[in-house]
């Protein structure tokens, strides 16, 4: 790798979030700087570190199918995560970054003595890219067009000049008419609501951000067409382009079951862990309403556009048969997965294909009692229709406790039919299977939540999907029942779903209320004392395997999440802010780190 990132420039651009020195320090000390590094992710304590080190960042360019030998230009490369990912796929990368500190971080991120990564990091702008550097198969413009100044058409024209005849320009940008902004979320660059919808008035400008920010779909399409890129494939990253958990092709909105399908893939349409705002309604219900009205594509929170001079170039870079890509949460690198949903037309069955998101040579697929499916099988048929979770949320919105009990009854009947009574020996016990006489489900039923029972519009024949985790010796039916109710309560509160209990009802209290309904169902297992405490202990051990970290920290996080309610939903700049964030970061210090870690856990639990 070559770099001139340290070379000062008189015209240095400073698009900073205040974390650059922290990011540089972490990168200098890191031994693993890969695009999905568990070591770097362990430093996430607030939104800036989540943005720079979150393992979901590179989900955004997963649909491009980058390959060895390709030439990639990354304009506005930031701290280098996209450049690093492209190089890990075998591409030759020129990364250009206008801020000196970020360019220095990008050079560090893309350096690896154990790999021969072909990356040049250049401190400058697109004007510093010479004709002899290209042409490029892919030009990335991710979160950069917002800063193009008064002449975005000229800026896009300069980018297009570096695209090869069969190459593509990839633009990711906020949609100023996105659903989150209509629901009152703060504009992502200016930190104020409504300014994008108002057309970015001059009074909204800041020292580093002009009045121009996100773009509407028609405006962006016209700009790209004017730059000579009339072939365009529009994708919608969700909740936005920064840390997407799903990416939808525009044509998914034309599917006959689009409302249920997109709702399953997206869930809550806002990232409330960082988006400020005052909206207190049911955002998932609002999203479904927008989809039913045919407004889903226009109201995407962000756009990802793959644009080229002709359709062939776009088709080569972005598979036209794909309806959506769905990514797992921020798991440990070895456990990251991508589900690709394809459809070839009315005569072809819709399929889902699960694959590792990142290649991890020789990494274990689990630890001890818990294993993750290798995800190397053939594509599976997609099971259409609503899932049980969607039906349960409808019953909650309707205030229909009897109808909700019927939904839970369907789940209990399905689970009970798969269970058998047996004595669990101490040698076979694990966090989700205590020793003793138990009703035991197959090990793959660990994740038997309402969201994973598809085909709920059919009277019978529910289908268990997404059974990727498998626990040795099976799992306890009682604990899985508690977990299913807790997951439903968490989703309901997290997306603002109105329910027949008081708005102040917490996740834990709603879980208890659901378990009270379960107790009236003949097929349900008996629920013993302290169900949530037992679940938290078991779930924390599962998260240690799936996410990393410590069981003590996960228990504290689960208890904090359990105190949330419709009257007190999470908004802000990250999972750890203020005193909690500073304490979490300080726990890595030598000598006093252990003491500060204990203080951080106390603050998380009782703060």
């Amino acid at each position: 790798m070559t770099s001139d990132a340290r070379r000062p420039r008189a015209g240095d651009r400073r698009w900073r979030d205040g974390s650059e020195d922290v990011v540089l320090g972490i990168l200098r000390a890191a031994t693993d700087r890969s695009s999905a590094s568990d070591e770097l992710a362990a430093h996430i304590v607030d939104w800036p570190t989540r943005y720079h080190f979150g393992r979901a960042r590179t989900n955004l360019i997963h649909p491009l199918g980058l390959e060895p030998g390709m030439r990639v230009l990354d304009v506005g490369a930031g701290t280098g995560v996209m450049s690093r990912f492209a190089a890990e796929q075998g591409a030759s990368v020129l990364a250009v970054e206008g801020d000196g500190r970020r360019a220095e971080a990008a050079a560090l991120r893309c350096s690896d003595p154990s790999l021969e990564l072909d990356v040049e990091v250049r401190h400058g702008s697109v004007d510093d890219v010479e004709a002899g550097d290209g042409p490029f198969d892919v030009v990335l413009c991710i979160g950069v067009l917002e800063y193009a100044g008064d002449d975005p058409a000229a800026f896009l024209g300069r980018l297009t000049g570096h695209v090869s005849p069969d190459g593509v320009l990839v633009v990711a940008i906020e949609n100023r008419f996105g659903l989150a902004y209509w629901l009152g979320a703060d504009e992502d660059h200016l930190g104020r609501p409504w300014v994008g919808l108002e057309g970015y008035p001059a009074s909204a400008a800041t020292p580093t951000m002009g009045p121009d920010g996100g773009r509407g779909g028609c405006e962006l399409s016209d700009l790209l067409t004017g730059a000579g890129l009339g072939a365009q494939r529009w994708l919608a990253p969700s909740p936005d382009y920064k840390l997407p958990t799903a990416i939808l092709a525009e044509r998914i909105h034309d599917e006959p079951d689009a409302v249920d399908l997109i709702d399953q893939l997206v869930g809550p349409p806002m990232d409330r862990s960082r988006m400020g705002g005052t909206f207190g309604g049911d955002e998932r219900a609002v999203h479904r309403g927008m989809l039913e009205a045919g407004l889903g594509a226009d109201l995407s929170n962000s756009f990802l556009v793959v644009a080229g001079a002709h359709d062939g170039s776009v088709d080569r870079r972005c598979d036209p048969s794909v309806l959506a890509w769905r990514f797992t949460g921020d798991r440990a690198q070895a456990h990251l997965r991508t589900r690709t949903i394809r459809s070839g037309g009315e005569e072809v069955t819709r399929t889902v294909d699960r694959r590792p998101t990142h290649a991890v040579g020789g990494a274990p697929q689990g630890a001890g009692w818990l294993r993750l499916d290798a995800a190397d099988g053939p594509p599976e048929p997609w099971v259409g229709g609503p899932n049980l979770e969607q039906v349960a949320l409808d019953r909650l919105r309707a205030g229909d406790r009897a109808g909700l009990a019927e939904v839970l009854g369907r789940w209990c009947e399905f689970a009970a039919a798969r269970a058998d009574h047996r004595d669990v020996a101490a040698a076979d016990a694990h966090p989700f299977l205590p020793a003793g006489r138990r009703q035991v489900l197959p090990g793959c039923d660990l994740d038997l939540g309402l969201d994973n029972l598809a085909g709920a519009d059919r009277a019978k024949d529910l289908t268990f999907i997404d059974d990727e985790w498998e626990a040795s010796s099976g799992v306890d039916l009682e604990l899985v029942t508690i977990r299913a109710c807790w997951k439903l309560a968490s989703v309901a509160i997290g997306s603002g779903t109105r329910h027949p209990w008081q708005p102040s009802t917490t996740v834990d209290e709603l879980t208890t209320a659901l378990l009270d309904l379960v107790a009236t169902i003949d097929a349900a297992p008996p629920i013993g004392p302290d169900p949530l405490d037992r679940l938290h202990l078991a779930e924390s051990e599962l998260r240690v395997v799936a996410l990393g970290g410590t069981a003590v920290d996960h228990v504290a996080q689960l208890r904090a999440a359990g105190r949330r309610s419709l009257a007190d939903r999470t908004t802000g700049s990250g999972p750890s802010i203020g005193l909690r964030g500073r304490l979490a970061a300080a726990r890595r210090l030598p000598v006093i780190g252990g003491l500060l870690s204990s203080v951080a856990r106390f603050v998380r639990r009782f703060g």
Side-chain angles (χ1 to χ4, degrees):
M1 189 204 79
T2 60
S3 171
D4 66 352
R6 295 178 180 273
R7 181 160 55 90
R9 290 176 179 270
D12 194 9
R13 302 173 186 222
R14 302 183 181 276
W15 315 126
R16 297 186 176 177
D17 57 21
S19 67
E20 283 74 15
D21 289 340
V22 171
V23 168
L24 274 168
I26 293 170
L27 287 170
R28 288 190 186 111
T31 58
D32 176 12
R33 300 174 183 140
S34 62
S35 59
S37 167
D38 294 332
E39 180 184 354
L40 294 179
H43 290 274
I44 296 173
V45 295
D46 53 16
W47 165 244
T49 49
R50 183 180 168 210
Y51 177 68
H52 292 294
F53 298 136
R55 287 167 286 215
R57 276 288 302 282
T58 58
N59 290 344
L60 182 72
I61 58 175
H62 183 87
L64 302 179
L66 299 175
E67 299 170 340
M70 294 181 60
R71 295 272 298 152
V72 175
L73 172 62
D74 187 3
V75 177
T79 56
V81 63
M82 298 300 184
S83 296
R84 171 78 194 223
F85 178 78
E88 288 169 353
Q89 312 315 304
S92 175
V93 183
L94 173 59
V96 179
E97 169 53 41
D99 180 83
R101 298 295 275 170
R102 290 195 171 198
E104 185 179 351
L108 279 169
R109 188 74 188 255
C110 295
S111 63
D112 193 328
S114 65
L115 297 174
E116 294 184 4
L117 298 176
D118 186 2
V119 182
E120 178 187 350
V121 179
R122 190 173 297 174
H123 178 199
S125 70
V126 67
D127 294 329
D128 297 293
V129 181
E130 301 173 358
D133 293 321
F136 296 90
D137 302 296
V138 175
V139 176
L140 299 176
C141 177
I142 297 173
V144 176
L145 188 58
E146 298 94 317
Y147 303 96
D150 296 331
D151 197 351
F155 175 72
L156 286 175
R158 291 195 293 276
L159 293 181
T160 302
H162 296 293
V163 178
S164 71
D166 292 325
V168 294
L169 171 65
V170 179
V171 177
I173 192 170
E174 297 285 334
N175 177 13
R176 73 183 184 94
F177 298 116
L179 177 61
Y181 293 154
W182 286 107
L183 298 184
D186 291 344
E187 201 278 340
D188 209 50
H189 305 89
L190 301 172
R192 294 166 51 185
W194 315 118
V195 292
L197 300 176
E198 293 169 352
Y200 292 100
S203 59
T206 69
T208 59
M209 181 73 189
D212 207 10
R215 304 278 170 182
C218 292
E219 178 188 10
L220 180 56
S221 179
D222 290 345
L223 284 169
L224 290 168
T225 300
L229 303 176
Q232 301 165 14
R233 179 147 303 133
W234 286 69
L235 309 173
S238 181
D240 56 35
Y241 76 84
K242 293 178 174 62
L243 293 167
T245 55
I247 298 178
L248 310 180
E250 185 176 27
R251 74 184 188 93
I252 197 174
H253 296 89
D254 298 326
E255 294 289 297
D257 58 343
V259 176
D260 286 330
L261 175 59
I262 294 173
D263 182 49
Q264 289 169 17
L265 295 170
V266 170
M270 295 171 61
D271 181 0
R272 280 185 169 265
S273 69
R274 70 176 185 85
M275 284 183 172
T278 58
F279 181 70
D282 186 339
E283 64 202 53
R284 194 161 169 178
V286 172
H287 187 216
R288 289 180 64 93
M290 295 298 98
L291 293 170
E292 289 169 354
L295 299 172
D298 293 330
L299 295 181
S300 301
N301 291 331
S302 294
F303 296 125
L304 175 65
V305 189
V306 182
H310 54 86
D311 291 337
S313 61
V314 174
D315 288 347
R316 274 192 294 273
R317 277 287 56 78
C318 185
D319 187 344
S321 73
V322 176
L323 291 173
W325 295 263
R326 181 69 171 89
F327 309 96
T328 52
D330 197 20
R331 296 176 179 173
Q333 181 176 356
H335 300 140
L336 295 171
R337 295 285 185 269
T338 302
R339 285 184 290 164
T340 305
I341 297 92
R342 288 184 172 86
S343 176
E346 295 181 0
E347 302 300 322
V348 180
T349 302
R350 189 186 296 162
T351 62
V352 57
D353 193 13
R354 292 188 294 186
R355 290 287 182 269
T357 305
H358 291 75
V360 185
Q365 295 300 308
W369 64 278
L370 185 61
R371 181 183 72 84
L372 184 66
D373 189 330
D376 55 1
E380 302 170 358
W382 176 271
V383 181
N387 58 38
L388 270 190
E389 178 184 273
Q390 291 173 308
V391 178
L393 292 175
D394 280 343
R395 296 301 88 218
L396 282 169
R397 294 181 185 114
D400 183 0
R401 299 194 195 197
L404 180 61
E406 290 180 6
V407 176
L408 293 172
R410 291 190 68 186
W411 183 92
C412 289
E413 290 172 2
F414 184 93
R418 297 167 64 87
D420 64 275
H421 287 79
R422 72 170 189 257
D423 293 316
V424 179
D428 295 327
H430 57 69
F432 270 91
L433 186 64
R437 185 70 176 171
R438 302 281 170 195
Q439 292 186 69
V440 182
L441 291 165
C444 62
D445 286 17
L446 173 62
D447 212 16
L448 184 62
L450 278 74
D451 58 325
N452 284 337
L453 282 182
D457 53 345
R458 301 191 297 266
K460 297 181 180 179
D461 300 326
L462 291 168
T463 303
F464 182 26
I465 60 172
D466 208 20
D467 52 342
E468 57 180 354
W469 290 102
E470 183 167 0
S472 63
S473 309
V475 287
D476 178 27
L477 175 60
E478 181 195 1
L479 277 174
V480 171
T481 303
I482 299 167
R483 188 170 192 255
C485 290
W486 165 74
K487 286 177 66 178
L488 176 59
S490 299
V491 167
I493 299 299
S495 57
T497 303
R498 303 186 193 280
H499 54 69
W501 290 272
Q502 292 296 317
S504 59
T505 300
T506 65
V507 169
D508 284 351
E509 291 167 344
L510 183 55
T511 303
T512 300
L514 296 175
L515 289 172
D516 289 342
L517 291 177
V518 166
T520 67
I521 298 167
D522 292 339
I527 304 297
D530 303 318
L532 287 170
D533 286 342
R534 289 185 288 128
L535 175 67
H536 289 163
L537 292 174
E539 186 72 15
S540 67
E541 295 294 342
L542 185 158
R543 293 188 174 201
V544 168
V545 177
L547 309 178
T550 69
V552 172
D553 283 344
H554 287 305
V555 167
Q557 291 162 10
L558 290 166
R559 287 174 176 164
R563 294 193 290 270
R564 295 170 186 156
S565 69
L566 294 182
D568 182 26
R569 295 171 66 197
T570 300
T571 59
S573 59
S576 302
I577 56 177
L579 174 61
R580 283 180 286 181
R582 290 190 289 272
L583 288 170
R587 69 185 180 186
R588 299 182 181 86
L589 296 173
V591 184
I592 65 171
L595 174 62
L596 291 175
S597 179
S598 299
V599 176
R601 289 194 294 270
F602 179 85
V603 172
R604 278 196 301 271
R605 182 173 182 181
F606 300 106

